[in-house]
Amino acid sequence: MAMNALWIPAWYELDPSIVVGVTEEFIFHKPATNEALRFYSGAKKTEAVKATGAIASIHHKVLGDIDSVDAQGLDYTIVLKDGRRLLVNAEEDPGLLYEWVDDSWQPSEMVIQDWQLEVKFASLSPFKAVD
């Protein structure tokens, strides 16, 4: 079944990495009735569910289409569909943005206030409880 989910960063290495075209098991906050599905982060201790899914697309309202978000470490790396690479601080100044220019990370002039990403799944299995 196709489905959408929101990736809303909690920063500090609490967020899952996501990549277009990858099929794997993901953990989500257990959705309440009529609530959007959200990727699980360790920021809020809520019930969680898991499902196996294939990511079809990732989109941000300012940055546009995204190929991947690597949330390993204290700086997240985002690769845009057009090939540009962004580095986002996830510890000291969450959301501070750098761009890969001339073989080095340079401070970006872009200011992103809302880092919420819309992730579309080509398929997503039924939810299971997380042990």
Side-chain angles (χ1 to χ4, degrees):
M1 141 177 81
M3 185 174 273
N4 294 348
L6 299 177
W7 185 92
I8 303 169
W11 308 114
Y12 303 99
E13 295 183 289
L14 296 172
D15 307 300
S17 295
I18 51 176
V19 180
V20 171
V22 167
T23 299
E24 64 183 59
E25 185 174 81
F26 295 97
I27 299 175
F28 303 95
H29 291 279
K30 184 176 181 181
T33 304
N34 298 324
E35 182 180 59
L37 184 62
R38 293 179 295 124
F39 282 88
Y40 188 82
S41 74
K44 296 179 182 176
K45 302 296 180 195
T46 61
E47 285 188 76
V49 293
K50 60 185 175 180
T52 299
I55 295 178
S57 67
I58 305 168
H59 186 79
H60 183 266
K61 63 184 175 185
V62 174
L63 299 174
D65 291 327
I66 296 171
D67 275 338
S68 65
V69 177
D70 180 353
Q72 302 284 319
L74 296 174
D75 291 306
Y76 293 4
T77 304
I78 297 174
V79 178
L80 302 180
K81 194 76 157 174
D82 65 12
R84 288 184 295 152
R85 293 173 52 203
L86 307 174
L87 189 71
V88 186
N89 184 276
E91 182 191 24
E92 294 172 353
D93 196 357
L96 185 62
L97 188 61
Y98 297 85
E99 295 182 64
W100 187 254
V101 178
D102 298 327
D103 295 326
S104 67
W105 292 111
Q106 303 293 323
S108 176
E109 293 181 11
M110 288 189 288
V111 176
I112 307 292
Q113 298 296 327
D114 181 359
W115 282 99
Q116 175 176 294
L117 305 178
E118 183 178 315
V119 179
K120 293 186 181 191
F121 284 91
S123 63
L124 194 63
S125 70
F127 298 123
K128 297 178 188 174
V130 173
D131 303 329

